[in-house]
Amino acid sequence: MTTPWTLDDGQVGRAGQITSPSRQDDPDLHALFGRSKAVFALLAGPDHVLEAANPAYFEAIGLDRVRLGVPLVQSMPELEEQGFVAQLDGVYRTGVPLTAREARILIGDGVQVREAFYDYNYEPRRGAGGDIVGVAMLGTETTAARQGRQLADDQRALLEQIAREAPLEKVLDGMVRKIEDLAPGVIASVLLADEEGRHLHHGVGPSLPDFYNEAIDGIAIGEGVGSCGSAAHHRSSMIVTDIATDPLWDDFRDLAERAGLAACWSTPILGRDGRLLGTFAMYHHVPRVPGESDLKLGTTFADIAALAIERHRSEQARMAAEEKERAARADLAFLLEASTVLTRDLDQAEIFQCLADLCVPALAPLSAVDVVESARIHRVATAATMDGHAALLATHVPAHDLGDAVGRVLASGVTEVARRTPVAPGPWDELAVTGYLTVPLKERGDTFGALTLFATAGRPLDGHMVGLAEELARRASVAARNARQYAQRVKLSRDLQAGLLLPDPPQVPGAEIAIHYHPAGEGLEIGGDFYDVFPLGGDRWAFMIGDVCGRGAMAATTTALVRHTARAVARFLPDPASVVEAVNTALQERPADHGTGFVTLVYGHLRHDGGRLAIELVRAGHVLPRLLDAEGAVRRIGARGFLLGVMPRLELETCHLDLTPGQSLVLVTDGITETRSPDGGLFDDEGLDGTLAALPHGTPARTVLEAVTSAVRDYVPGQAIDDDQAILVLTAITP
């Protein structure tokens, strides 16, 4: 029921303050709203006279526009045509409260208009006699959150366009239009730098006049050349808040005036190597100082533009290279095939052997790969066209000095080619070697190995072989580095994750246990979901399932803290609530650099007692446990409990269950219930309940688990899981 509002007579608020109206049986409104970020105002009478407002109201509307003691529509006439006054009339007339979510409102008029979105509530105010005397407004601005979601969606759409190799002009045009939608009043444009980095040329500027775009096409890069030319010159943002007075615009002031431009903020677009790619500009029709969100918007889209331009330049360079090298199509096809082979899911040793095999016979009859390990040269791969030659070549290990071609290339990092037999000792006569080409293998500029191709009398070195071998060595080096780093990261993540999860469910008397864990992505990062089942001594066992806020090493630290604390104290504490309170204390006392995220948890004890499985559990902010009872119905276990790691004291409710054979307790993390389908829907609690309800009574734990995982996979067919998922099923059985 809505409690009526009352207002003491004769009280009128001042700017930046709130008066002392009271709400029956509620705390003082000044304490509630005086310093709140929520917008709060009190209106009186059918004309909605503004009697009082909190500072947030003045800040949102504008101090110079708010007038206490006058009808709201006089200070904000724009509200009437947008329908907000009619809503107030309805609440005042009927006494029925009104609530709205993410309502769009235009505040101000003309060039000063500001678009905002609010969640708000109108409630009638009643006097001492119960008559309606006005309306109370309470609203929270959601503009930033809405813009944040829109910005993320727009970024994703642009990146998808770039990934699909959409034309540069289309990507940039879509980008500036999205910016103009996100920031009303902004006019966006992109200028592209030429290859020499001396001039800027028109890229896109759909909202700028054609004469303006034509006039600035080809402007020089330098000091005093407007905002864009100066930003490109300094490689840093140039903020001009008033074009009419800023000296940077001396040569372009008349042009800007004709175009109706009064402010310009320009950000340089830089490549990954620091090379100038262009500039991104945001214009305004009135002088204006950028806010933090404006600057962030500029930086964000400048980075996206850099990706698009670099991708475009890379594509242009590739096309030019293909045109220039038409005669070498066979060589390019070879490199393409080689890249495909080298970038398969191989380890480093396999990549080096693939490199040697790719060279034979395509480039030479003999090849060898040498790498430096522990300050010594090791021959790690060989290949040959003739039987036995690869093994013979493998017996030769180059000397790590300047007397050997491999040693010289390792020292200099420069390719060496010779049309003669190597000077250093080796099986050259047996192999009929007449020449060699040694190419360095590099990682981040450091030479770690060498690829050597050997020519024979029947197969001399061709002139184009050097370029192909160098390109092949470069791709192999990148593939080897990526394979090594990937293997290291996967091993580290798997080792850490394995240490945080049970390898197999234990054998618990009177219970069948099934567990499932699926990390998001490719398993390169440690997930935040965890579970555990461990003995407490005698016939008592403990179980838990939880979710740590975040992922990666910090999440692993918190997971380990929760599990180890529970295991350490569970034998010595009387009940699950005491154990969870100890875990919460450990989270509260952890060092700041060990993480500060919260944890959700279901923790319980079980024992087999006279043909039933006796369970007591507590829940701390986690997904509700499900009980499949004897009738095949699904019951949610609604034990109350707050998140762990947030508050020093907990209020936990212990729930006691007795599972007879065939009944199951199902515990999941929110990665199950929050699985999102391609159309944006959620699997949610109803999806989980429906899946469980379709199972017959007495379904084994493994079958219950497989039914849930199968339903989730079917809900997102062919789509990657974007959150960790964990399931723990406890089913009572007859021992």
Side-chain angles (χ1 to χ4, degrees):
M1 178 180 294
T2 301
T3 305
W5 294 89
T6 62
L7 183 68
D8 296 338
D9 293 337
Q11 295 178 328
V12 178
R14 300 188 300 276
Q17 297 182 343
I18 187 169
T19 58
S20 301
S22 61
R23 188 178 181 182
Q24 295 173 358
D25 302 321
D26 273 4
D28 180 70
L29 290 179
H30 187 282
L32 280 175
F33 300 111
R35 298 183 181 276
S36 173
K37 290 298 184 181
V39 172
F40 178 74
L42 296 178
L43 307 177
D47 294 331
H48 312 303
V49 174
L50 181 62
E51 282 195 342
N54 68 339
Y57 180 89
F58 288 86
E59 181 180 348
I61 307 305
L63 186 60
D64 58 332
R65 302 184 67 220
V66 177
R67 295 291 182 270
L68 297 179
V70 300
L72 182 66
V73 73
Q74 290 187 17
S75 56
M76 298 183 67
E78 65 271 18
L79 295 182
E80 186 165 21
E81 62 183 49
Q82 297 178 58
F84 294 101
V85 175
Q87 292 179 350
L88 290 170
D89 291 341
V91 173
Y92 183 84
R93 184 177 62 255
T94 65
V96 178
L98 183 146
T99 298
R101 294 289 180 265
E102 288 203 353
R104 178 176 180 267
I105 178 173
L106 299 178
I107 301 174
D109 56 10
V111 297
Q112 299 294 340
V113 68
R114 179 175 76 89
E115 181 185 53
F117 293 85
Y118 276 87
D119 292 346
Y120 63 84
N121 184 64
Y122 295 159
E123 288 196 27
R125 296 168 50 209
R126 299 182 183 274
D131 295 334
I132 297 176
V133 297
V135 177
M137 298 192 309
L138 176 63
T140 302
E141 186 168 359
T142 61
T143 307
R146 179 187 177 92
Q147 288 181 341
R149 294 193 301 268
Q150 184 63 47
L151 177 59
D153 292 343
D154 291 342
Q155 284 181 278
R156 188 179 304 110
L158 290 170
L159 291 174
E160 288 176 355
Q161 280 191 319
I162 295 172
R164 292 195 302 268
E165 298 187 354
L168 177 63
E169 184 177 358
K170 180 179 179 180
V171 174
L172 295 181
D173 184 80
M175 183 188 79
V176 299
R177 293 183 187 277
K178 290 180 184 298
I179 293 169
E180 292 173 353
D181 289 341
L182 283 170
V186 165
I187 301 171
S189 75
V190 174
L191 296 179
L192 302 176
D194 58 21
E195 290 292 337
E196 295 77 22
R198 296 180 179 178
H199 295 84
L200 296 172
H201 296 276
H202 173 66
V204 294
S207 299
L208 288 170
D210 291 340
F211 73 83
Y212 185 86
N213 287 328
E214 293 171 2
I216 64 173
D217 186 17
I219 61 171
I221 294 174
E223 180 67 39
V225 187
S227 299
C228 293
S230 301
H233 174 67
H234 290 285
R235 301 293 201 276
S236 63
S237 297
M238 287 291 166
I239 309 300
V240 173
T241 60
D242 190 353
I243 291 176
T245 60
D246 198 293
L248 293 182
W249 282 79
D250 286 347
D251 296 336
F252 302 93
R253 189 165 290 114
D254 292 342
L255 179 66
E257 185 178 358
R258 285 179 55 205
L261 306 177
C264 180
W265 316 328
S266 181
T267 302
I269 302 172
L270 303 177
R272 288 169 292 181
D273 57 358
R275 183 175 53 170
L276 178 70
L277 303 176
T279 59
F280 166 63
M282 299 171 69
Y283 296 91
H284 282 272
H285 289 299
V286 294
R288 182 176 167 188
V289 176
E292 181 180 349
S293 61
D294 297 314
L295 299 177
K296 183 177 180 181
L297 195 65
T299 302
T300 298
F301 281 98
D303 291 342
I304 294 176
L307 289 175
I309 296 170
E310 283 193 316
R311 195 276 305 165
H312 173 74
R313 287 192 173 186
S314 176
E315 180 68 11
Q316 292 295 104
R318 184 188 66 80
M319 294 175 61
E322 287 181 350
E323 184 67 25
K324 183 179 180 180
E325 299 294 334
R326 285 186 179 277
R329 283 186 177 178
D331 296 339
L332 294 175
F334 164 74
L335 287 175
L336 179 60
E337 181 182 357
S339 295
T340 302
V341 174
L342 290 170
T343 53
R344 287 174 184 166
D345 188 13
L346 305 173
D347 64 23
Q348 186 171 257
E350 291 175 322
I351 288 174
F352 290 143
Q353 187 59 57
C354 281
L355 174 60
D357 293 339
L358 285 166
C359 295
V360 177
L363 300 182
L366 294 161
S367 68
V369 177
D370 301 288
V371 298
V372 178
E373 295 177 356
S374 302
R376 297 183 60 186
I377 296 177
H378 297 267
R379 179 147 287 177
V380 295
T382 59
T385 56
M386 298 183 64
D387 293 341
H389 281 194
L392 180 59
L393 191 57
T395 63
H396 171 255
V397 178
H400 202 169
D401 57 45
L402 299 182
D404 191 285
V406 172
R408 291 192 295 272
V409 170
L410 288 173
S412 66
V414 178
T415 298
E416 181 175 321
V417 59
R419 297 179 181 275
R420 55 173 174 78
T421 302
V423 176
W428 315 130
D429 291 340
E430 297 92 324
L431 298 174
V433 172
T434 60
Y436 65 89
L437 166 65
T438 302
V439 179
L441 299 172
K442 296 184 178 182
E443 179 178 342
R444 302 185 186 279
D446 296 329
T447 303
F448 68 90
L451 166 67
T452 302
L453 307 181
F454 298 96
T456 62
R459 182 78 181 276
L461 293 172
D462 293 333
H464 71 279
M465 189 182 298
V466 176
L468 283 175
E470 288 181 333
E471 178 61 17
L472 186 59
R474 184 189 70 80
R475 299 184 184 203
S477 298
V478 173
R481 181 190 69 199
N482 292 341
R484 182 170 66 255
Q485 293 177 342
Y486 182 84
Q488 291 171 346
R489 290 186 63 189
V490 169
K491 183 178 185 303
L492 176 61
S493 295
R494 287 177 178 172
D495 289 347
L496 288 173
Q497 193 76 67
L500 300 174
L501 299 174
L502 289 172
D504 294 300
Q507 298 296 320
V508 177
E512 179 190 4
I513 300 177
I515 54 178
H516 168 79
Y517 177 77
H518 188 285
E522 299 180 359
L524 291 179
E525 197 170 33
I526 305 166
D529 291 7
F530 64 92
Y531 53 79
D532 200 0
V533 180
F534 57 91
L536 296 176
D539 60 351
R540 297 171 64 242
W541 289 76
F543 63 90
M544 70 173 75
I545 187 170
D547 188 358
V548 174
C549 176
R551 293 177 58 81
M554 202 65 73
T557 300
T558 304
T559 297
L561 177 63
V562 172
R563 292 183 66 243
H564 294 164
T565 300
R567 279 178 170 258
V569 305
R571 289 176 178 266
F572 309 104
L573 295 177
D575 52 43
S578 300
V579 176
V580 174
E581 287 173 352
V583 170
N584 186 62
T585 300
L587 290 171
Q588 289 284 320
E589 295 176 352
R590 61 188 156 170
D593 57 357
H594 285 195
T596 57
F598 61 81
V599 176
T600 68
L601 183 69
V602 172
Y603 175 85
H605 294 165
L606 64 86
R607 62 186 175 86
H608 186 252
D609 183 15
R612 61 190 178 88
L613 204 59
I615 295 176
E616 57 177 340
L617 62 82
V618 294
R619 169 179 164 267
H622 199 75
V623 178
L624 293 176
R626 264 63 172 186
L627 173 65
L628 300 183
D629 62 21
E631 288 74 32
V634 179
R635 180 160 64 91
R636 299 180 185 178
I637 309 302
R640 296 189 303 274
F642 199 62
L643 302 168
L644 303 184
V646 178
M647 301 176 64
R649 298 181 60 85
L650 298 176
E651 293 184 5
L652 300 173
E653 177 184 355
T654 301
C655 183
H656 298 270
L657 304 173
D658 287 328
L659 272 63
T660 58
Q663 292 184 320
S664 296
L665 179 65
V666 182
L667 307 172
V668 304
T669 58
D670 60 10
I672 296 294
T673 56
E674 294 181 4
T675 297
R676 191 171 295 277
S677 66
D679 61 4
L682 291 178
F683 185 71
D684 64 30
D685 291 305
E686 284 67 29
L688 176 61
D689 290 345
T691 300
L692 297 175
L695 299 174
H697 174 62
T699 300
R702 172 54 55 181
T703 305
V704 172
L705 186 147
E706 290 174 351
V708 175
T709 56
S710 177
V712 171
R713 285 195 303 270
D714 293 343
Y715 194 71
V716 287
Q719 182 174 315
I721 301 298
D722 59 4
D723 193 7
D724 304 319
Q725 297 179 345
I727 306 173
L728 174 61
V729 181
L730 304 173
T731 300
I733 60 175
T734 302

